[in-house]
Amino acid sequence: MSNSPLSQPMFALVDVNNFYVSCERAFNPNLINRSVVVLSNNDSCTVARSHEVQALGVKMGTPWFKLKDLAKQHHIIALSSNYTLYGDMSDRVMTILRDFSPHVEVYSIDERFLDLQGLNKFWSTPMDMGQSIRQRIRQWTSLPVCVGFGITKTLAKLANHIAKKPPEFNGVCDLASMPSAQLEALLSVLEVDEVWSVGRQLSQHLNAAGISTVKALRDTPSSCLRTKFGVVVERLGYELRGVSCLALEEVSAPRKQIISSRSFGQLVNSLPELSEAVASYMSSAAEKLRHQHSVCNAIQVFIQTNPFRQHDKQYSNSMTVPLPNASGDIRLLIRAALFGLKCIYRQGYAYKKTGVILSCIDSAAKQQESLFELYGAGDRSARLMCVLDQINQRYGRDTLSVFSTGKRKSWAMHRGKVSPCYTTNWNDVPIAYAH
DNA sequence: TCTGGGGTCCTAGGACCC
DNA sequence: TCTGGGGTCCTAGGACCC
């Protein structure tokens, strides 16, 4: 029996420091040790800052025009973003991490969770492993990373956050094997909003209830967290106490919605211009839709004026266009989106932004949906069995095993997979089967 | 003058049905 | 005809994340 901490449940979070800036530096060493920011679409906002820029107090998302003076003064270099490059670098990091664990979750473009349980044979301590990860990624991609270890994902994320604070941690922090005196001291000074999923609002509420440190949050009884703050915070408490509630998600589920939207560089007034933009956003959204083998059953299209121009007349609206027959047909999707746009468009406003949001369902689920629609479904238990009978007679025994029905939306277990189906007309079911 | 884009989950409240 | 409770479904909006 090994006593190595890695024989316990153990997660790691590996996160690339200042990811976009680090990617740019990997290809242009002149940027190293310089003040660098990467800007969003239209070069409007800062989406990444080098350490040097962070030290100047520049916050994430600061508009570039507000930085121009500071930039001149401190010779800040601003770069337009290059997402193709960042995606490629992200894949390279992924490849390297697979050598350290077969179980890796892509949490975001610059963060990976690793499940390390049972890997104790290879490493004497997590710290060794963490340093090894840092060195190899640095060597093979030039990217700097920090590594956090914990027995839940929330703790690993917190550890990663702590590891970034130089210099004593040297980029790696293991909360699981930290001496308890040190751990308690650390958690009692960490503010509660440093915890993953505690944002501005929630930290205010927690503070108002006297919970201002991570330690206080961890030590508040579950029942209290549940009543005062709901299920999410209750789960958070468990995670901080080392009870894992969040599993590693290695296979990324298909997106439930696909958004494609953009701010205009210049304000736009006319419907034809907006239509052109919407059609183009829809094309790229539909491409993603096909890529994940989904179809779309509703499209939301929205437009808005520029809320920062407070003297301008403001207008924002959206419309959801349902597609009774879910589809991935690009021409149909564009038609539906343009129809929605036409409904919400009003003349006389200067528009800043528009976009589409596609609700996605799995192609296979769509086939099942049509199967159920063929027979109808509903909330009349007297007819439930006959529907099951019909479907199983026609498609073979046990095609349909569980069938829970709601008024409009129902749920069916089909070959081990639960899928939604939509009620059309229950009365289509022949009355003869009701007996 | 110039203020990002893409996601998930939860909740409240209205509509509707029995 | 009037009234009420209980349930489901849908949507919008808020909060959070990177």
Side-chain angles (χ1 to χ4, degrees), chain A residues 93-154:
Chain A
V93 171
M94 185 68 179
T95 308
I96 295 169
L97 288 176
R98 285 210 187 284
D99 286 345
F100 288 88
S101 169
H103 307 296
V104 185
E105 171 187 339
V106 179
Y107 175 64
S108 74
I109 192 162
D110 67 333
E111 288 172 283
R112 306 286 184 272
F113 279 107
L114 277 63
D115 184 345
L116 302 174
Q117 186 162 19
L119 299 178
N120 54 316
K121 290 188 290 265
F122 305 105
W123 305 95
S124 52
T125 67
M127 300 301 277
D128 288 347
M129 184 191 205
Q131 291 301 343
S132 179
I133 289 175
R134 269 165 65 83
Q135 279 162 22
R136 197 179 302 177
I137 293 179
R138 174 68 96 166
Q139 228 164 33
W140 292 9
T141 66
S142 319
L143 296 174
V145 303
C146 285
V147 187
F149 294 93
I151 56 175
T152 64
K153 287 169 84 173
T154 303

Side-chain angles (χ1 to χ4, degrees), chain A residues 171-193:
Chain A
V172 181
C173 171
D174 173 18
L175 285 179
S177 56
M178 186 176 280
S180 103
Q182 191 189 352
L183 180 68
E184 297 300 306
L186 193 60
L187 297 189
S188 60
V189 295
L190 273 180
E191 291 190 18
V192 74
D193 61 357

Side-chain angles (χ1 to χ4, degrees), chain A residues 264 266-279 341 354:
Chain A
F264 295 117
Q266 292 176 329
L267 298 175
V268 161
N269 298 294
S270 76
L271 184 59
E273 279 177 289
L274 285 170
S275 300
E276 201 178 309
V278 164
L341 176 66
T354 183

Side-chain angles (χ1 to χ4, degrees), chain A residues 6 18 32 42 47 55-56 63 68 75 79 102 109 120 129 138 198 210 227 254 269 281 310 316 325 338 406 417:
Chain A
L6 291 187
N18 315 318
I32 294 169
N42 295 328
V47 289
L56 293 172
K68 289 217 169 131
H75 307 290
L79 305 167
I109 192 162
N120 54 316
M129 184 191 205
R138 174 68 96 166
V198 177
T227 12
N269 298 294
Y281 300 157
Q310 292 181 355
S316 79
N325 286 310
L338 292 183
K417 195 180 165 214

Side-chain angles (χ1 to χ4, degrees), chain A residues 391-409:
Chain A
I391 292 178
N392 287 331
Q393 270 177 26
R394 176 147 173 186
Y395 292 93
R397 282 181 64 189
D398 302 326
T399 299
L400 207 56
S401 42
V402 175
F403 200 98
S404 112
T405 59
K407 190 62 199 163
R408 268 164 293 194
K409 193 173 186 180

